[in-house]
Amino acid sequence: MDELAGKIIQLFGQMKSERLELEPHWRQCYKFTFPHRGTGFAGLTTPNQARSEQADLLDSTGSEAANVLAASIVSGMTPANSQWLELKSDTETDSVERWLAQVAKLIWRNIHASNFDAENFEASVDGVVGGMFALYIDIDRKKGGFQFQQWPLSQCYFGSTNGQLVDTVYRCYKLTAAQAVERFGDKAGETILKAAKDKPNAKFEFLHVIQPRTKYTPGGKLARNMPFQSLNIGIDSKAVVQESGYNEFPVVAPRWSRIPGSQYGIGAVSLALPDIKELNTLKKWQKQAAELAVAGMWIAEDDGILNPQTVTVGPRKIIVANSVDSMKPLMTGSDFNVSFTTEQNLQGQIRKIMMADTLGQANQGTPMTATEVQARLNLLRQQLGPVFGRYQAEYLTPLVERCFSLMLRDGALPPPPPEMEGVNFHVHFDNPLARAQKLTEVSAIEQFEAGLVNLAQTMPEALDVYNLEAAQRQKAFALGVPVTCVRSEQEVAGIRQQRQEQAAQQQQAETGQQMALQNNQAANDQALQQGAA
């Protein structure tokens, strides 16, 4: 047994024990929304069990609300049809700003030219239901470009060396013998090499460990010198079958809401789970009551002729009895009005908790007014604001930084201008959710402008307090107007200077013409005086 592999497997056992306490709750969240995604958690080990639990779901409100929320997170944070990221610097040099804008556009295009959109939605569903997800980011070695892999949450065990962002992940996965030999070669081990010949489809368990190194060489190109260590270990052979490294942590693992004292999280479904379970139970009772209401319920007396144990009720059947009173229908006692009212209340509560009413279309087929749009955006900002703040720090920023570093090392970015040397820059997000949070500023500016215009009709000097140019720039920034559509202060100064010079030249020309006319007039007057003399 490899000493390093044995130590890692021992640590993996401890991480499994720590996570085991949280798994029953996660399994309940998946069981009542997306059972097939919860395969691998405590007590749910096979797809057949997941299909059975899927069949037991009698109401889709929880699943639909989770799906709407996940889709809203994707469209609100990382829309594919508009650029949602920018790179900003502390300098105002035009060349630096334009280079950063060009780089940001390249990163955004390459992200959405890959499989990001498909994997991102799957990851967002895990974030809503399980409270977190794991998205692996790397270069596609065969086709080029980025490659994203959404790792099933049940396979991943997380840790943090700094107590904040997740920077350690242990992923337990399976490969067939043929796949293992193709990937690891002879290092796969004798058992797997033999199985690849006799039973190539036999599956074996492996452990992928990504964690920070305590000692590494800054800027090192060898895998063992990189800041993050990558180990693939065979569980059966207890040996390291592959060792590599990363310059950045290649997995983003944001939490919807962090569990105190843990590196794991809980999602929006966790809050709605009691109502989802109650609704599913209510629907079960409804179906039982509906069956009784349709088929009826009877009471029969064993009168010597009628045998209640063998009698069958149905159309065109003759029941032999001693008296017509020997068999009577019974009232079921069901009150469907109470049931339907309770059902609607529970469905509404689930949608409210999961924000489906806020995020979904209010009136199907009826366009919303501007006031309705503004009100819904305000609700969106209030409800998703805290989640967006956490996702921005734990998901979007590490995602962009990882993609930037990969493209930079791969030579896929244009050469930076000389002014870029020593300049610090950061990621700025301009997605719909960020703009919804900024709409308060726009509304405040417009309200102030409207009041100022009214005041200026009686007090013109009131306009002196307002910086119109700064206000328009702030509105453009808050509304997400592209940088290329707004002229810089230097460009505006140049245009104004050119306008002043043109005005001065025109005034000078007009003055010259006026003087020439005056001179001509004076000459004519003098000639007339001489002629008269």
Side-chain angles (χ1 to χ4, degrees):
M1 179 180 69
D2 191 322
E3 182 179 353
L4 176 60
K7 182 179 179 181
I8 293 293
I9 292 175
Q10 185 178 3
L11 290 173
F12 177 54
Q14 296 176 4
M15 297 181 76
K16 290 180 69 175
S17 299
E18 293 173 0
R19 201 189 78 170
L20 192 61
E21 300 177 357
L22 307 174
E23 288 188 14
H25 178 71
W26 285 335
R27 186 194 168 187
Q28 288 288 304
C29 292
Y30 280 105
K31 177 180 179 180
F32 287 94
T33 51
F34 301 97
H36 59 281
R37 301 185 68 90
T39 304
F41 286 121
L44 186 62
T45 57
T46 64
N48 287 334
Q49 289 177 285
R51 284 192 288 270
S52 176
E53 291 187 349
Q54 182 73 47
D56 291 337
L57 281 180
L58 303 178
D59 188 275
S60 61
T61 303
S63 305
E64 178 192 4
N67 202 62
V68 169
L69 181 54
S72 300
I73 291 293
V74 171
S75 60
M77 292 188 183
T78 55
N81 58 350
S82 64
Q83 184 174 330
W84 47 267
L85 67 97
E86 295 178 347
L87 298 178
K88 299 289 185 179
S89 68
D90 300 330
T91 181
E92 296 182 356
T93 307
D94 287 346
S95 59
V96 171
E97 290 186 355
R98 293 189 182 281
W99 183 80
L100 291 175
Q102 183 181 6
V103 169
K105 193 168 187 177
L106 284 173
I107 294 174
W108 172 74
R109 282 181 175 177
N110 278 274
I111 286 176
H112 290 283
S114 66
N115 64 332
F116 172 78
D117 293 315
E119 296 296 300
N120 184 37
F121 178 73
E122 297 295 326
S124 296
V125 173
D126 271 350
V128 171
V129 181
M132 65 186 306
F133 61 82
L135 187 65
Y136 175 78
I137 311 165
D138 204 357
I139 295 291
D140 191 334
R141 308 299 174 186
K142 296 181 179 180
K143 299 180 181 179
F146 294 128
Q147 182 183 45
F148 296 88
Q149 295 179 16
Q150 184 263 327
W151 290 348
L153 191 57
S154 59
Q155 296 181 356
C156 300
Y157 302 79
F158 303 100
S160 175
T161 57
N162 55 23
Q164 298 178 3
L165 295 179
V166 171
D167 61 5
T168 302
V169 60
Y170 283 41
R171 180 198 174 205
C172 187
Y173 65 99
K174 292 182 179 181
L175 293 176
T176 64
Q179 291 172 336
V181 171
E182 181 182 0
R183 182 172 176 181
F184 306 124
D186 295 339
K187 290 186 177 181
E190 295 182 2
T191 303
I192 296 179
L193 290 172
K194 182 179 180 182
K197 297 178 181 179
D198 301 334
K199 298 179 180 180
N201 293 326
K203 291 189 175 182
F204 293 86
E205 203 169 22
F206 293 89
L207 180 65
H208 187 192
V209 178
I210 304 175
Q211 59 188 2
R213 281 192 172 98
T214 55
K215 296 181 180 180
Y216 62 92
T217 304
K221 295 183 178 180
L222 294 177
R224 63 183 59 187
N225 294 332
M226 294 181 180
F228 288 89
Q229 181 185 46
S230 174
L231 299 172
N232 280 277
I233 299 172
I235 298 294
D236 296 330
S237 62
K238 293 182 174 58
V240 176
V241 296
Q242 187 182 62
E243 181 176 3
S244 183
Y246 299 96
N247 287 284
E248 308 86 26
F249 189 57
V251 180
V252 288
R255 282 75 56 98
W256 182 276
S257 178
R258 183 177 173 183
I259 299 175
S262 171
Q263 294 304 320
Y264 298 94
I266 56 174
V269 170
S270 180
L271 298 177
L273 185 60
D275 294 314
I276 296 174
K277 294 171 69 175
E278 183 178 354
L279 178 59
N280 201 65
T281 302
L282 178 65
K283 296 288 286 187
K284 182 179 180 180
W285 291 344
Q286 275 186 7
K287 290 184 177 296
Q288 293 174 347
E291 183 180 1
L292 289 175
V294 172
M297 184 169 60
W298 300 79
I299 183 172
E301 176 186 359
D302 189 353
D303 58 6
I305 298 177
L306 176 67
N307 185 355
Q309 301 294 331
T310 58
V311 68
T312 301
V313 179
R316 296 185 299 275
K317 292 187 178 295
I318 298 176
I319 300 174
V320 179
N322 189 38
S323 169
V324 293
D325 296 328
S326 298
M327 189 171 181
K328 297 180 180 179
L330 289 178
M331 297 296 294
T332 63
S334 302
D335 190 341
F336 285 97
N337 291 328
V338 174
S339 172
F340 293 151
T341 301
T342 305
E343 177 186 358
Q344 292 175 358
N345 291 338
L346 288 172
Q347 289 175 339
Q349 182 68 9
I350 293 169
R351 290 193 176 98
K352 180 180 178 181
I353 295 174
M354 302 284 290
M355 294 173 271
D357 287 339
T358 304
L359 300 170
Q361 178 68 33
N363 299 315
Q364 297 294 334
T366 304
M368 291 185 294
T369 64
T371 305
E372 289 175 336
V373 171
Q374 183 67 32
R376 289 163 74 85
L377 285 175
N378 286 334
L379 287 173
L380 177 70
R381 176 178 56 83
Q382 294 170 7
Q383 294 179 333
L384 284 182
V387 176
F388 175 63
R390 179 178 288 278
Y391 267 46
Q392 180 173 310
E394 298 186 359
Y395 177 30
L396 300 181
T397 300
L399 167 70
V400 176
E401 290 177 348
R402 169 69 172 164
C403 292
F404 173 85
S405 299
L406 288 173
M407 292 184 69
L408 182 65
R409 286 191 297 269
D410 205 42
L413 297 180
E419 297 85 353
M420 193 67 202
E421 185 176 357
V423 173
N424 295 323
F425 62 93
H426 59 276
V427 185
H428 170 76
F429 299 103
D430 190 30
N431 48 37
L433 187 53
R435 288 196 292 272
Q437 292 180 313
K438 297 174 187 173
L439 286 180
T440 303
E441 298 179 7
V442 177
S443 298
I445 292 174
E446 291 178 345
Q447 290 177 6
F448 182 71
E449 288 176 345
L452 201 59
V453 168
N454 293 332
L455 183 62
Q457 295 177 358
T458 57
M459 189 184 298
E461 59 271 19
L463 294 175
D464 297 340
V465 304
Y466 191 63
N467 189 335
L468 179 62
E469 184 173 324
Q472 300 313 305
R473 290 187 180 279
Q474 186 61 29
K475 285 172 66 175
F477 170 74
L479 292 172
V481 178
V483 178
T484 54
C485 296
V486 180
R487 291 191 176 101
S488 65
E489 294 181 2
Q490 292 83 355
E491 290 176 326
V492 172
I495 292 173
R496 288 174 178 173
Q497 183 179 357
Q498 184 179 6
R499 186 184 298 137
Q500 290 175 357
E501 292 175 352
Q502 291 175 350
Q505 291 174 0
Q506 184 177 358
Q507 185 177 3
Q508 186 178 2
E510 291 176 353
T511 303
Q513 291 177 358
Q514 186 175 4
M515 291 181 64
L517 290 173
Q518 291 176 353
N519 291 335
N520 291 334
Q521 184 66 35
N524 292 333
D525 292 342
Q526 185 178 2
L528 289 174
Q529 291 176 359
Q530 291 177 354

